[in-house]
PDB file of all heavy atoms in Angstrom:
ATOM      1  N   THR A 203      37.265  61.614 -53.077  1.00 91.00           N
ATOM      2  CA  THR A 203      37.980  60.646 -53.858  1.00 91.00           C
ATOM      3  C   THR A 203      37.004  59.453 -54.195  1.00 91.00           C
ATOM      4  O   THR A 203      35.833  59.541 -53.831  1.00 91.00           O
ATOM      5  CB  THR A 203      39.227  60.139 -53.141  1.00 91.00           C
ATOM      6  OG1 THR A 203      38.798  59.563 -51.908  1.00 91.00           O
ATOM      7  CG2 THR A 203      40.181  61.287 -52.874  1.00 91.00           C
ATOM      8  N   GLU A 204      37.511  58.482 -54.819  1.00 86.00           N
ATOM      9  CA  GLU A 204      36.683  57.308 -55.126  1.00 86.00           C
ATOM     10  C   GLU A 204      37.320  56.066 -54.488  1.00 86.00           C
ATOM     11  O   GLU A 204      38.334  55.578 -55.020  1.00 86.00           O
ATOM     12  CB  GLU A 204      36.531  57.123 -56.669  1.00 86.00           C
ATOM     13  CG  GLU A 204      35.538  56.023 -57.031  1.00 86.00           C
ATOM     14  CD  GLU A 204      34.139  56.352 -56.589  1.00 86.00           C
ATOM     15  OE1 GLU A 204      33.696  57.475 -56.807  1.00 86.00           O
ATOM     16  OE2 GLU A 204      33.531  55.438 -56.029  1.00 86.00           O
ATOM     17  N   PRO A 205      36.808  55.581 -53.341  1.00 84.00           N
ATOM     18  CA  PRO A 205      35.661  56.122 -52.583  1.00 84.00           C
ATOM     19  C   PRO A 205      36.072  57.326 -51.733  1.00 84.00           C
ATOM     20  O   PRO A 205      37.270  57.638 -51.588  1.00 84.00           O
ATOM     21  CB  PRO A 205      35.263  54.929 -51.710  1.00 84.00           C
ATOM     22  CG  PRO A 205      36.566  54.208 -51.460  1.00 84.00           C
ATOM     23  CD  PRO A 205      37.325  54.371 -52.714  1.00 84.00           C
ATOM     24  N   GLN A 206      35.074  57.948 -51.157  1.00 88.00           N
ATOM     25  CA  GLN A 206      35.320  59.132 -50.288  1.00 88.00           C
ATOM     26  C   GLN A 206      36.076  58.690 -49.015  1.00 88.00           C
ATOM     27  O   GLN A 206      35.909  57.538 -48.510  1.00 88.00           O
ATOM     28  CB  GLN A 206      34.005  59.782 -49.871  1.00 88.00           C
ATOM     29  CG  GLN A 206      33.246  60.518 -50.976  1.00 88.00           C
ATOM     30  CD  GLN A 206      32.066  61.270 -50.457  1.00 88.00           C
ATOM     31  OE1 GLN A 206      31.820  61.262 -49.261  1.00 88.00           O
ATOM     32  NE2 GLN A 206      31.320  61.802 -51.369  1.00 88.00           N
ATOM     33  N   VAL A 207      36.912  59.591 -48.529  1.00 90.00           N
ATOM     34  CA  VAL A 207      37.660  59.324 -47.306  1.00 90.00           C
ATOM     35  C   VAL A 207      37.466  60.533 -46.375  1.00 90.00           C
ATOM     36  O   VAL A 207      37.251  61.661 -46.824  1.00 90.00           O
ATOM     37  CB  VAL A 207      39.193  59.095 -47.578  1.00 90.00           C
ATOM     38  CG1 VAL A 207      39.394  57.798 -48.293  1.00 90.00           C
ATOM     39  CG2 VAL A 207      39.789  60.269 -48.320  1.00 90.00           C
ATOM     40  N   ASN A 208      37.525  60.306 -45.066  1.00 93.00           N
ATOM     41  CA  ASN A 208      37.320  61.378 -44.121  1.00 93.00           C
ATOM     42  C   ASN A 208      38.020  61.076 -42.817  1.00 93.00           C
ATOM     43  O   ASN A 208      38.457  59.913 -42.561  1.00 93.00           O
ATOM     44  CB  ASN A 208      35.811  61.544 -43.846  1.00 93.00           C
ATOM     45  CG  ASN A 208      35.170  60.328 -43.240  1.00 93.00           C
ATOM     46  OD1 ASN A 208      35.303  60.075 -42.036  1.00 93.00           O
ATOM     47  ND2 ASN A 208      34.472  59.558 -44.073  1.00 93.00           N
ATOM     48  N   ALA A 209      38.214  62.063 -42.009  1.00 95.00           N
ATOM     49  CA  ALA A 209      38.776  61.932 -40.682  1.00 95.00           C
ATOM     50  C   ALA A 209      38.037  62.859 -39.739  1.00 95.00           C
ATOM     51  O   ALA A 209      37.490  63.905 -40.184  1.00 95.00           O
ATOM     52  CB  ALA A 209      40.265  62.248 -40.717  1.00 95.00           C
ATOM     53  N   THR A 210      37.968  62.573 -38.440  1.00 96.00           N
ATOM     54  CA  THR A 210      37.199  63.333 -37.481  1.00 96.00           C
ATOM     55  C   THR A 210      38.127  63.972 -36.477  1.00 96.00           C
ATOM     56  O   THR A 210      39.172  63.466 -36.114  1.00 96.00           O
ATOM     57  CB  THR A 210      36.188  62.450 -36.784  1.00 96.00           C
ATOM     58  OG1 THR A 210      36.892  61.366 -36.140  1.00 96.00           O
ATOM     59  CG2 THR A 210      35.205  61.867 -37.767  1.00 96.00           C
ATOM     60  N   ILE A 211      37.624  65.109 -35.965  1.00 97.00           N
ATOM     61  CA  ILE A 211      38.321  65.849 -34.894  1.00 97.00           C
ATOM     62  C   ILE A 211      37.190  66.247 -33.869  1.00 97.00           C
ATOM     63  O   ILE A 211      36.126  66.826 -34.271  1.00 97.00           O
ATOM     64  CB  ILE A 211      38.973  67.102 -35.414  1.00 97.00           C
ATOM     65  CG1 ILE A 211      40.047  66.789 -36.453  1.00 97.00           C
ATOM     66  CG2 ILE A 211      39.600  67.887 -34.254  1.00 97.00           C
ATOM     67  CD1 ILE A 211      40.698  67.988 -37.119  1.00 97.00           C
ATOM     68  N   GLU A 212      37.419  65.920 -32.619  1.00 96.00           N
ATOM     69  CA  GLU A 212      36.470  66.290 -31.593  1.00 96.00           C
ATOM     70  C   GLU A 212      36.783  67.680 -31.009  1.00 96.00           C
ATOM     71  O   GLU A 212      37.982  67.978 -30.695  1.00 96.00           O
ATOM     72  CB  GLU A 212      36.500  65.256 -30.470  1.00 96.00           C
ATOM     73  CG  GLU A 212      35.931  63.880 -30.842  1.00 96.00           C
ATOM     74  CD  GLU A 212      35.895  62.943 -29.627  1.00 96.00           C
ATOM     75  OE1 GLU A 212      37.013  62.489 -29.275  1.00 96.00           O
ATOM     76  OE2 GLU A 212      34.829  62.740 -29.051  1.00 96.00           O
ATOM     77  N   VAL A 213      35.768  68.446 -30.930  1.00 96.00           N
ATOM     78  CA  VAL A 213      35.851  69.813 -30.231  1.00 96.00           C
ATOM     79  C   VAL A 213      34.952  69.740 -29.079  1.00 96.00           C
ATOM     80  O   VAL A 213      33.698  69.707 -29.156  1.00 96.00           O
ATOM     81  CB  VAL A 213      35.484  70.974 -31.227  1.00 96.00           C
ATOM     82  CG1 VAL A 213      35.554  72.274 -30.482  1.00 96.00           C
ATOM     83  CG2 VAL A 213      36.433  70.960 -32.407  1.00 96.00           C
ATOM     84  N   LYS A 214      35.548  69.810 -27.864  1.00 96.00           N
ATOM     85  CA  LYS A 214      34.782  69.626 -26.632  1.00 96.00           C
ATOM     86  C   LYS A 214      34.701  70.956 -25.865  1.00 96.00           C
ATOM     87  O   LYS A 214      35.566  71.764 -25.915  1.00 96.00           O
ATOM     88  CB  LYS A 214      35.439  68.524 -25.749  1.00 96.00           C
ATOM     89  CG  LYS A 214      35.475  67.125 -26.439  1.00 96.00           C
ATOM     90  CD  LYS A 214      36.179  66.158 -25.566  1.00 96.00           C
ATOM     91  CE  LYS A 214      36.266  64.740 -26.277  1.00 96.00           C
ATOM     92  NZ  LYS A 214      36.905  63.753 -25.399  1.00 96.00           N
ATOM     93  N   ALA A 215      33.588  71.055 -25.142  1.00 94.00           N
ATOM     94  CA  ALA A 215      33.361  72.292 -24.324  1.00 94.00           C
ATOM     95  C   ALA A 215      32.554  71.937 -23.114  1.00 94.00           C
ATOM     96  O   ALA A 215      31.880  70.881 -23.041  1.00 94.00           O
ATOM     97  CB  ALA A 215      32.701  73.378 -25.148  1.00 94.00           C
ATOM     98  N   LEU A 216      32.471  72.856 -22.144  1.00 94.00           N
ATOM     99  CA  LEU A 216      31.631  72.682 -21.002  1.00 94.00           C
ATOM    100  C   LEU A 216      30.197  72.556 -21.415  1.00 94.00           C
ATOM    101  O   LEU A 216      29.767  73.185 -22.396  1.00 94.00           O
ATOM    102  CB  LEU A 216      31.773  73.864 -20.046  1.00 94.00           C
ATOM    103  CG  LEU A 216      33.013  73.921 -19.170  1.00 94.00           C
ATOM    104  CD1 LEU A 216      33.140  75.269 -18.494  1.00 94.00           C
ATOM    105  CD2 LEU A 216      33.029  72.803 -18.150  1.00 94.00           C
ATOM    106  N   PRO A 217      29.360  71.770 -20.695  1.00 94.00           N
ATOM    107  CA  PRO A 217      27.931  71.699 -21.082  1.00 94.00           C
ATOM    108  C   PRO A 217      27.255  72.994 -20.811  1.00 94.00           C
ATOM    109  O   PRO A 217      27.630  73.785 -19.976  1.00 94.00           O
ATOM    110  CB  PRO A 217      27.402  70.579 -20.164  1.00 94.00           C
ATOM    111  CG  PRO A 217      28.312  70.642 -18.986  1.00 94.00           C
ATOM    112  CD  PRO A 217      29.708  70.997 -19.500  1.00 94.00           C
ATOM    113  N   HIS A 218      26.217  73.233 -21.585  1.00 95.00           N
ATOM    114  CA  HIS A 218      25.355  74.428 -21.382  1.00 95.00           C
ATOM    115  C   HIS A 218      23.983  73.904 -20.843  1.00 95.00           C
ATOM    116  O   HIS A 218      23.269  73.248 -21.547  1.00 95.00           O
ATOM    117  CB  HIS A 218      25.127  75.165 -22.709  1.00 95.00           C
ATOM    118  CG  HIS A 218      24.185  76.377 -22.585  1.00 95.00           C
ATOM    119  ND1 HIS A 218      24.498  77.457 -21.876  1.00 95.00           N
ATOM    120  CD2 HIS A 218      22.923  76.486 -23.051  1.00 95.00           C
ATOM    121  CE1 HIS A 218      23.462  78.288 -21.900  1.00 95.00           C
ATOM    122  NE2 HIS A 218      22.514  77.744 -22.610  1.00 95.00           N
ATOM    123  N   VAL A 219      23.763  74.201 -19.589  1.00 97.00           N
ATOM    124  CA  VAL A 219      22.536  73.678 -18.898  1.00 97.00           C
ATOM    125  C   VAL A 219      21.590  74.864 -18.675  1.00 97.00           C
ATOM    126  O   VAL A 219      21.999  75.890 -18.141  1.00 97.00           O
ATOM    127  CB  VAL A 219      22.888  73.024 -17.552  1.00 97.00           C
ATOM    128  CG1 VAL A 219      21.665  72.594 -16.774  1.00 97.00           C
ATOM    129  CG2 VAL A 219      23.782  71.817 -17.801  1.00 97.00           C
ATOM    130  N   VAL A 220      20.350  74.700 -19.054  1.00 97.00           N
ATOM    131  CA  VAL A 220      19.334  75.791 -18.857  1.00 97.00           C
ATOM    132  C   VAL A 220      18.025  75.151 -18.462  1.00 97.00           C
ATOM    133  O   VAL A 220      17.632  74.057 -18.934  1.00 97.00           O
ATOM    134  CB  VAL A 220      19.218  76.587 -20.175  1.00 97.00           C
ATOM    135  CG1 VAL A 220      18.710  75.744 -21.322  1.00 97.00           C
ATOM    136  CG2 VAL A 220      18.268  77.780 -19.962  1.00 97.00           C
TER     137      VAL A 220
END
Side-chain angles (χ1 to χ4, degrees):
T203 57
E204 188 62 47
Q206 290 185 5
V207 292
N208 63 78
T210 58
I211 301 174
E212 291 184 284
V213 177
K214 301 179 180 180
L216 284 170
H218 176 70
V219 175
V220 61

